[in-house]
Amino acid sequence: MSRHPDALLPARRFHDEPLILILRHLKAGLAQAGRVRIEVPDPDLGAGRYPGERVGPEGGLVHRPLRHWCDLAEGLGCRLLTPRGVDATHVALTFEALGAEASWHAGSARTEAAVPAEERYGADSAFARVRKLEDAGFLLPWLEALGRVRLPAGARVLDLGVNRGDELDAFSWLDEVPDVSFVGVDHSASAIAQARARFPDSRHAFHVADLNALPAALGRFHLVVSVGTLQSPGVDDHALLRTLVQEHLESESTLVLGFPNSRFRDGEVVYGARVRNLRESDLSLLVKDLSFYRRYLHQHGFRTFLGGKLDLLLTAVRGGAQSSD
């Protein structure tokens, strides 16, 4: 049997050392080689214990759950490779530095200069590789948010920034979903073409349009959803919110709006919003935007609920529209 390539890396073994020493060792190794292998107490030995509690033979090991090591890798900008058993008490963990952020992020060093602005998230873009409903960090909060919505029969649902329609798939997975119709809007013609091919039935309609100038003929809706679109460059999100509330929402209606609190990097989704010209994540603009949205929606009779993690999901309900909470 061939050995796993990680086994060729030198590894330092840890038993009960403080986490700060492990952190310093990882930082030094990553700065030097971009890849570090360590041996740590098997997380399964301490199931039910909190980080830092002692486990193992005569309590000589310190427990740290696998989730802890995943968080550490994320904080260091690393990919954590699959743990490998070493012996009865230890597993080997390999931390590998992640590459650059995805090209579509504002401020990314990589750009797709030849791609028109309307197709930055189109069918042939790098973004087309992303499947958000296959990411548990998004899927679980998204289903939870949609599960709070109670739509009347014949309701109309609007998805702004619908792209190829991934988020719409989740509606068919919910219990007690009435017969509703869906309208999707996006400025990418190629993404809309994919959405039309995926949802060819009469209950779905898709439009190529600028979100800053929504067609009045769209009408009014019982539910509006939008994920990761309102803060996109070029979108006047405050004006768009006012337009939605004043011109496109029924008196009894719900919004589910997603605000990215993560970035895509070398195939991974990493926590923390980042603004242009800053290397570190900075949540100040995200907090400011959410404060505006909640304040404005409260002034117009909505009740709000904020959930999610990698995408913060703001649910707003007005009038007799019901939620399960």
Side-chain angles (χ1 to χ4, degrees), residues 154-167:
R156 302 183 74 224
V157 177
L158 173 64
D159 188 336
L160 295 176
V162 67
N163 202 265
R164 61 177 171 241
D166 284 2
E167 290 88 1

Side-chain angles (χ1 to χ4, degrees), residues 65-86:
L66 184 59
R67 184 193 302 271
H68 160 103
W69 296 113
C70 293
D71 289 342
L72 184 59
E74 183 176 57
L76 290 172
C78 289
R79 175 182 294 109
L80 179 63
L81 303 191
T82 303
R84 306 286 169 175
V86 176

Side-chain angles (χ1 to χ4, degrees), residues 67-141:
R67 184 193 302 271
H68 160 103
W69 296 113
C70 293
D71 289 342
L72 184 59
E74 183 176 57
L76 290 172
C78 289
R79 175 182 294 109
L80 179 63
L81 303 191
T82 303
R84 306 286 169 175
V86 176
D87 52 33
T89 59
H90 284 67
V91 298
L93 303 178
T94 300
F95 293 76
E96 180 181 75
L98 290 172
E101 286 188 355
S103 60
W104 60 83
H105 285 302
S108 172
R110 297 172 56 236
T111 60
E112 299 175 27
V115 178
E118 293 81 4
E119 291 300 320
R120 188 178 182 184
Y121 300 92
D124 297 323
S125 68
F127 181 78
R129 297 169 53 198
V130 174
R131 300 289 187 271
K132 298 195 74 169
L133 294 185
E134 293 300 322
D135 186 336
F138 175 78
L139 176 63
L140 294 176

Side-chain angles (χ1 to χ4, degrees), residues 133 136-151 157 167 170-171 173-175 177 222-227 253-259 303-309 311-317 321-325:
L133 294 185
F138 175 78
L139 176 63
L140 294 176
W142 181 242
L143 290 177
E144 181 180 353
L146 293 186
R148 295 190 192 97
V149 178
R150 294 293 179 265
L151 295 173
V157 177
E167 290 88 1
F171 282 89
W173 306 336
L174 300 175
D175 297 329
V177 179
H222 300 84
L223 171 64
V224 173
V225 301
S226 184
V227 178
S253 54
T254 303
L255 298 105
V256 180
L257 307 176
F259 299 81
R303 308 184 307 277
T304 61
F305 177 89
L306 184 61
K309 178 182 178 183
D311 287 88
L312 298 184
L313 297 174
L314 178 65
T315 303
V317 180
Q322 297 179 351
S323 74
S324 60
D325 293 342

Side-chain angles (χ1 to χ4, degrees), residues 30 39 55 75 88 92 96 105 109 151 158 180 185 188 208 213 235 241 258 319:
L30 290 166
E39 295 178 359
V55 297
E96 180 181 75
H105 285 302
L151 295 173
L158 173 64
V180 300
V185 177
S188 168
V208 179
V235 174
L241 178 64

Side-chain angles (χ1 to χ4, degrees), residues 27-60:
K27 282 185 173 181
L30 290 166
Q32 182 177 10
R35 190 180 179 105
V36 184
R37 184 172 182 260
I38 59 176
E39 295 178 359
V40 300
D42 186 343
D44 291 347
L45 295 177
R49 305 288 184 91
Y50 293 106
E53 286 194 85
R54 290 188 171 272
V55 297
E58 300 179 357

Side-chain angles (χ1 to χ4, degrees), residues 47 152 196:
R196 288 170 176 159

